[in-house]
Amino acid sequence: PVYSVDLIRSVTEAGIEVVATDQNESAPGFEVADHAEAVDITDYEGILSVANEYGVDGGIPINDYGVQTAAEIAEELSLAGIDPTVAATCTDKAEMRNSWERQGIPQPDYQIVTTLDETREAALQIGLPVVLKPASSVGGGSRGVSIADTEGDVKDAFEFADSVYEDDNRILVEDCVK
């Protein structure tokens, strides 16, 4: 993506040496980085190896996929960064909402569901319209998000949200605040 090239270019122009990692050996950011390593940003061991090889002083994830890895690497190498538990909470909408609830932070009504029947029940309990979204936000917070205005919309909204992440079937159903 262009934003990664712009970010890397800005950092290198500020005089900071950049080691870019991406699973794509032809990643556009590699052209402007000082060093480039074809390693998936979710590969903790691989990124840790790169960080140790180059003696990095810090890491910046430029998308949701790298947040957890960056937090774990920062902790492992005693670098500035967010705590891995915070990273996990911030990339999981359900955990984030549960955390806010425990902290007493006001928020729209919500339920976490895994089946269409649970989704229908949650939508009726919360009251239509409702927003449905995958619980995970790794890879982008707006993936699989839709509004169910009527009972008839709930099935399509559930299927859309459920289609985003194969390994996580949790769906967040929340009051639609317009």
Side-chain angles (χ1 to χ4, degrees), residues 115-117 119-120 123 128 130-134 143-164 171-173:
T115 68
L116 178 57
D117 286 340
T119 303
R120 286 184 174 127
L128 293 163
V130 292
V131 177
L132 276 74
K133 56 181 82 170
R143 293 175 186 223
V145 177
S146 63
I147 296 173
D149 289 307
T150 68
E151 286 184 52
D153 296 336
V154 171
K155 180 177 186 274
D156 289 341
F158 171 81
E159 289 173 352
F160 182 55
D162 193 45
S163 71
V164 177
I171 305 296
L172 184 64
V173 181

Side-chain angles (χ1 to χ4, degrees), residues 12-27:
T12 58
E13 287 174 357
I16 298 170
E17 189 174 349
V18 174
V19 180
T21 60
D22 193 300
Q23 69 180 356
N24 177 1
E25 293 179 2
S26 301

Side-chain angles (χ1 to χ4, degrees), residues 74-146:
E75 181 175 73
E76 175 74 22
L77 299 179
S78 300
L79 303 173
I82 62 174
D83 181 273
T85 303
V86 173
T89 300
C90 291
T91 55
D92 186 301
K93 293 179 194 100
E95 289 304 314
M96 183 176 58
R97 297 296 294 277
N98 288 335
S99 175
W100 291 350
E101 185 173 27
R102 287 189 300 272
Q103 310 270 332
I105 297 172
Q107 60 184 315
D109 289 340
Y110 73 96
Q111 290 185 35
I112 301 157
V113 299
T114 58
T115 68
L116 178 57
D117 286 340
E118 290 173 346
T119 303
R120 286 184 174 127
E121 186 176 320
L124 293 175
Q125 286 177 0
I126 292 169
L128 293 163
V130 292
V131 177
L132 276 74
K133 56 181 82 170
S136 176
S137 61
V138 171
S142 61
R143 293 175 186 223
V145 177
S146 63

Side-chain angles (χ1 to χ4, degrees), residues 42-61:
T42 65
D43 175 0
Y44 171 79
E45 293 297 329
I47 297 296
L48 179 61
S49 177
V50 169
N52 283 322
E53 178 182 343
Y54 289 94
V56 301
D57 296 318
I60 302 172

